[in-house]
Amino acid sequence: MKLKGLVWFFAIILVIISLWELSYTWVIHNFESEQETKATKYVKNNFPQLKGLDQTAAIELRKDKLLDSLKEKEIYPVIGTTYKKCKDNELHLGLDLQGGMSVTLDVSLEGLLKSLSVNPKDPQLLKAIQTASDQHAITNADFIGLFQTAYTTQNPGANLAGTFARPNSDIKTTDDNATVINKIRIVASTAIKQTYRILKDRIDRFGLTQPNINLDESKNIISVELAGVKDPERIKGLLQASANLQFWEVFTMSDNELANGINNADKALKVVVNGVDSTNKDSTTILGRLIGFYPPGKAEDGSTAYGAMLGRVYLNDTSELNKYLNMDVVKNSLPPNCKLLYGKSEKDDATKGKKRGDYLPLYAIKTSLNSPDKAPVNGSDVESARQDYDPNGGPAVSMQMNSTGTKRWATLSKKNLKKPIAIVLDDIVYSAPTIQGEMNTGDCQISGHFSIEEAQDLANVLTSGKLDAPAKIVADQVVGPTLGAEAVKGGLMAFGIAFAIIFILMLVYYNTGGWVANIALILNLLFTIGVLTAWGFTLTAAGIAGLVLTIGMAVDTNVIIFERIKEELTKGKSYPQAVNDGYKRSLAPVLDAHVTTFLTAAILFFFGLGPVLGFATTQMLGIVLSLFCGILVSRLITDTWTKKNRHFNYFTGISKRVFKHAAYKFIEYRKVAYGISVLVLLLGVGAFFNGFRLGVEFEGGRSYTVKFNQAVSPDKVRDDLNASFKDNTVIKTVGYDQKSLDITTSYLKGVNNADSAVKTKLFEGLKKVLPAGLTYDDFIKQKYIQQYTTVQPSISEELKAGAVKATIFALLMIFVYIFIRFRDWRYSVGTIIALLHDVLVTLAVFSFFKNIVPFPLEIDQHFIAAVLTVIGFSMNDTVIVFDRVREYSGTMKGADKGTVINKAINDTLSRTIMTSLTVFLTLLVLFIFGGEVTRGFAFAMLIGVITGTYSSIFVAAPILVDFAKSKPLGTADLLNHDKKPVVKKP
């Protein structure tokens, strides 16, 4: 083998890099284990009363504090590296392995369009925006394009320039609609990038380890992965806050205009709601029933004075009150520059001795008639913000204005001496302090019953800036640390068992030659994990599945080579010659097999989201390193050994007998195979009519993994939840002890900020199987919910479209590759028909067996990953047969097509069965031990391995006989031919 020195160099370098990168993980593991031991001892000694989940939570909290205090401690003395640096360089575990959350945000452009318009309240503009928003929520299509279509359809002949051409704007009154839309897109692109930058800044300020945030500008989508997060709701609030800070003047009940307006509104409401004449002396008021108006107090001079708050509204009453406040009779009664806003929720001590829960303070802010959305002072006037404490010692946020803001703040404070000013963030009043004197320094403070964490978040949001294009969560997943630990345990068990099985199988079937395959396998896995760590990739449960599958597919290279060496030895060649010819003649099929598998993995990476990206990344890297280890390193080991006049033995008693002198008449039975394929086609088509069970990411909705203290009956739980949710709840058993259920519901699907309402209904439906007396708060705090996922319809539609595109694109790419590689359209047709056969079989099984097997068969991203991997694997088998057919077509002159193809299939049968067996065994281990996350994927792959092997032999190859019967099969290329090409003399 040429370039042996270069191969040695790269192999040694990869070993050093991989071991070096993984050493950080080993050091971190040992150090954190020590701190966990210290934390456990501390909690048990100081808080012996804590038991169960409370004790676990206390230990985790103590451990986090210890680690936080030791960030700069040197823990890797060999190179003097601190804990923080080691943590940054360790193998990153995904949220599904250590717990955490992932969020997909859709950048909203509705507000941006309004702010760009001449009149934000223009009915035609608002109608078009609403239509575009409704369609975008379902299809997630381009929002600006949807708006343009809606506006021009609803207003034929209208010119958009009239709506958006403002003074000092890039949009001119002479611009046509296409020009206006292009200019809006430029502004929108800038706003989307700004939103991404601001959100990234907020996440960085939050202080998380290894945050991952990515922008897909073409889809207006921002993806965030935060492993190890312990307060998901806090993160959601941080990401969705637009940070629109405003300072407003305030109406109080001492303003006659407001007092009279409320009185008139009440009279008008009584007529509309109760049909009571406004002159009726009945003192009961509708607004007074819902708003607990505050009575007046005494000013310093003894006069009557009202506070900034009008009153308070209980949360249970806000829906009814909002309905009334949106009525025209109320709007027309109140002052035209009055806007009612709620404050932060507060706890009610008691009302007539009975607690009613949380309430919201109600304020009436005073806007400008000419610019109702423009506050006298706003967030752009703030230079910096920090968490502080108010005069009473409570957490607060202190702000410093810039020069412009200082002037505006001084003017506003001077105008409102002894009057309250409302400090409003995202239309929520946080505080309304009374101005005691003119504020000339630009200092300001917000207080309002904050926790320290809330004050810190608010300061971060204000410092990072306002979002002109706020982001809305369209999909999120939260995984508890317990479930993550179980995923790690199951994944590692599957990995270890699969490795042991393949390791032993190679020795049993290939004798001492199996050591070459096993060394290459060990190096392949070491390099894969080492490179993933060095590049900063995150290992997920799907990534572990990719590693397990890599074990099966990595030995495929050596299987192809060893089978060819065995053939050459059987022909009577010497060991050196057989090895040389075996490696040389195997090069083309090995390359073909790896390229086709890599193509499907790359397509999966391009179209995939979330967990399947980890699988695709691991598989692509494993394929590349498999070529390096399986071809170059294996040859290097073999040559080094044979130089000392020693040879590996590739035969055992078993491998000598299996498929010896195989001469099966496969082509003669092709019509039977065609009949089976027609049946498969009918079943595959029937599957679409029978229907599939869609996963929550394709269906939309919410899914919860709930763990109970005892085994529960899924059927009884389903009935209770159906009654609670008023829909058809899908229940799946997680594990084998029936103590964990995966619950999927479409209740409030597509409704933003409805998580709390859905969890409340979930709790109500599960009360019968939860401990007696358990409250909703305890249900949430005690981590009964191990994991939950939310997917809005817009993102589910996008994922389904992406899945279809990925499958079609994979088939198209493979058709083109096979055509280029074999220069014969029959090879491409045979390949595509065989692949469609495999896909249809998998679809049929998932459709007709979805309610039969005791584990979930869902169409989700893992299923799509399985289908594309099946396509790649089936291609692997098919290409090996086709390569041999092409080779024999050049050496078996005069033989008919059936004879050539039969011999090609028989001579590659041992390789086909061995490869299928190794992959099948690893998938079976993954299916049994890998956990719920990858069980559906493993099952689909198990089907694919069986059908892929069948279709390569009985579908793809026979098509070469029956298509274009008069055309020869073609000749072998130079990679497969010993003879030099014949050059005719002129």
Side-chain angles (χ1 to χ4, degrees), residues 276-547:
V276 180
D277 184 75
S278 60
T279 60
N280 192 299
K281 295 182 180 180
D282 181 9
S283 61
T284 303
T285 65
I286 294 174
L287 293 180
R289 176 173 58 83
L290 299 173
I291 304 172
F293 289 106
Y294 284 123
K298 292 290 184 180
E300 292 180 0
D301 59 4
S303 61
T304 301
Y306 286 89
M309 285 187 287
L310 297 181
R312 61 182 185 179
V313 182
Y314 285 96
L315 286 176
N316 293 337
D317 296 333
T318 54
S319 177
E320 185 180 359
L321 177 62
N322 291 340
K323 181 180 68 174
Y324 294 144
L325 294 180
N326 286 323
M327 289 183 176
D328 289 336
V329 293
V330 175
K331 292 179 180 178
N332 295 334
S333 298
L334 296 175
N337 61 334
C338 174
K339 183 177 181 180
L340 297 178
L341 293 178
Y342 293 114
K344 280 191 62 185
S345 63
E346 299 180 13
K347 292 288 184 182
D348 178 34
D349 294 328
T351 300
K352 295 182 181 179
K354 295 182 179 178
K355 291 187 177 182
R356 290 187 58 189
D358 295 352
Y359 69 89
L360 301 176
L362 186 66
Y363 299 82
I365 66 169
K366 189 181 296 185
T367 66
S368 169
L369 290 174
N370 296 326
S371 303
D373 294 326
K374 187 175 181 180
V377 182
N378 56 56
S380 63
D381 298 319
V382 176
E383 186 173 83
S384 63
R386 60 186 174 84
Q387 187 264 315
D388 204 345
Y389 295 92
D390 62 25
N392 297 320
V397 176
S398 292
M399 297 177 292
Q400 176 63 49
M401 305 286 183
N402 55 31
S403 58
T404 302
T406 299
K407 293 177 183 177
R408 291 176 176 174
W409 184 222
T411 301
L412 182 63
S413 60
K414 182 177 180 180
K415 182 182 176 182
N416 291 273
L417 288 174
K418 306 300 180 181
K419 294 180 181 179
I421 291 293
I423 302 177
V424 181
L425 181 69
D426 295 339
D427 276 351
I428 296 175
V429 180
Y430 277 76
S431 59
T434 298
I435 302 299
Q436 301 297 332
E438 186 177 345
M439 311 293 288
N440 296 313
T441 62
D443 293 326
C444 182
Q445 189 176 77
I446 307 176
S447 59
H449 305 287
F450 294 121
S451 67
I452 292 178
E453 291 79 8
E454 288 173 332
Q456 289 172 342
D457 291 348
L458 179 55
N460 289 341
V461 166
L462 293 176
T463 301
S464 58
K466 175 191 173 186
L467 299 179
D468 290 327
K472 296 184 296 186
I473 292 177
V474 291
D476 67 280
Q477 181 185 30
V478 175
V479 180
T482 302
L483 202 63
E486 291 176 357
V488 172
K489 181 180 178 181
L492 291 179
M493 183 181 295
F495 178 83
I497 295 174
F499 181 85
I501 290 175
I502 300 305
F503 194 95
I504 294 170
L505 182 62
M506 287 296 101
L507 296 177
V508 168
Y509 198 79
Y510 290 114
N511 207 321
T512 55
W515 284 108
V516 179
N518 287 334
I519 293 172
L521 174 60
I522 293 170
L523 291 176
N524 189 4
L525 293 173
L526 174 64
F527 296 163
T528 301
I529 298 173
V531 173
L532 284 174
T533 306
W535 285 352
F537 281 99
T538 299
L539 184 63
T540 63
I544 292 180
L547 283 176

Side-chain angles (χ1 to χ4, degrees), residues 226-301:
L226 305 169
V229 167
K230 296 179 176 62
D231 192 350
E233 297 305 319
R234 182 183 173 193
I235 292 291
K236 289 182 185 179
L238 189 71
L239 293 174
Q240 293 188 110
S242 66
N244 184 20
L245 179 67
Q246 298 171 314
F247 294 70
W248 295 101
E249 296 180 62
V250 177
F251 280 109
T252 67
M253 290 298 284
S254 59
D255 294 298
N256 291 332
E257 189 180 10
L258 177 65
N260 293 335
I262 290 176
N263 186 46
N264 292 335
D266 247 325
K267 290 179 180 180
L269 273 177
K270 289 175 69 175
V271 174
V272 174
V273 177
N274 300 327
V276 180
D277 184 75
S278 60
T279 60
N280 192 299
K281 295 182 180 180
D282 181 9
S283 61
T284 303
T285 65
I286 294 174
L287 293 180
R289 176 173 58 83
L290 299 173
I291 304 172
F293 289 106
Y294 284 123
K298 292 290 184 180
E300 292 180 0
D301 59 4

Side-chain angles (χ1 to χ4, degrees), residues 706-712 717 720-721 739 743 759-780 782-785:
V706 184
K707 188 170 185 177
F708 303 94
N709 297 333
Q710 70 287 327
V712 296
V717 171
D720 293 337
L721 287 171
K739 287 186 177 181
I743 300 165
K759 287 179 183 176
T760 299
K761 288 291 184 182
L762 175 70
F763 171 67
E764 292 173 358
L766 294 176
K767 274 186 176 179
K768 292 182 180 178
V769 291
L770 293 172
L774 184 75
T775 65
Y776 172 77
D777 288 341
D778 289 337
F779 172 69
I780 298 299
Q782 294 184 22
K783 310 298 183 185
Y784 282 89
I785 299 177

Side-chain angles (χ1 to χ4, degrees), residues 901-945:
I901 295 172
N902 272 334
K903 180 169 177 54
I905 296 173
N906 280 294
D907 286 355
T908 57
L909 194 59
S910 178
R911 175 264 161 202
T912 299
I913 299 301
M914 271 301 295
T915 299
S916 299
L917 180 62
T918 55
V919 176
F920 184 89
L921 288 174
T922 55
L923 289 168
L924 185 62
V925 170
L926 185 64
F927 175 76
I928 296 172
F929 299 103
E932 295 299 317
V933 175
T934 54
R935 183 159 287 134
F937 165 84
F939 183 74
M941 279 294 298
L942 285 170
I943 300 169
V945 169

Side-chain angles (χ1 to χ4, degrees), residues 694-742:
L694 297 181
V696 67
E697 53 201 17
F698 286 169
E699 182 73 13
R702 291 172 173 83
S703 177
Y704 302 89
T705 300
V706 184
K707 188 170 185 177
F708 303 94
N709 297 333
Q710 70 287 327
V712 296
S713 168
D715 293 333
K716 291 181 180 178
V717 171
R718 184 184 295 108
D719 292 340
D720 293 337
L721 287 171
N722 286 344
S724 180
F725 285 125
K726 301 295 191 296
D727 74 351
N728 185 24
T729 310
V730 178
I731 304 288
K732 296 178 295 184
T733 301
V734 179
Y736 299 100
D737 57 4
Q738 291 197 330
K739 287 186 177 181
S740 296
L741 297 178
D742 187 86

Side-chain angles (χ1 to χ4, degrees), residues 785-861:
I785 299 177
Q786 301 280 293
Q787 170 179 315
Y788 67 83
T789 303
T790 303
V791 180
Q792 302 291 15
S794 60
I795 199 71
S796 63
E797 289 298 321
E798 181 186 345
L799 289 173
K800 282 191 282 189
V804 173
K805 289 178 184 177
T807 305
I808 294 174
F809 194 66
L811 293 174
L812 179 63
M813 286 289 291
I814 286 169
F815 181 92
V816 172
Y817 177 80
I818 295 299
F819 181 77
I820 293 172
R821 189 71 179 84
F822 292 90
R823 298 180 181 87
D824 190 329
W825 62 270
R826 289 173 299 173
Y827 288 92
S828 295
V829 170
T831 301
I832 295 301
I833 292 177
L835 296 181
L836 287 174
H837 169 277
D838 301 336
V839 172
L840 289 174
V841 169
T842 308
L843 287 172
V845 171
F846 268 64
S847 174
F848 292 107
F849 286 82
K850 64 179 184 289
N851 296 320
I852 297 175
V853 296
F855 51 88
L857 293 181
E858 288 186 341
I859 307 297
D860 55 13
Q861 287 199 83

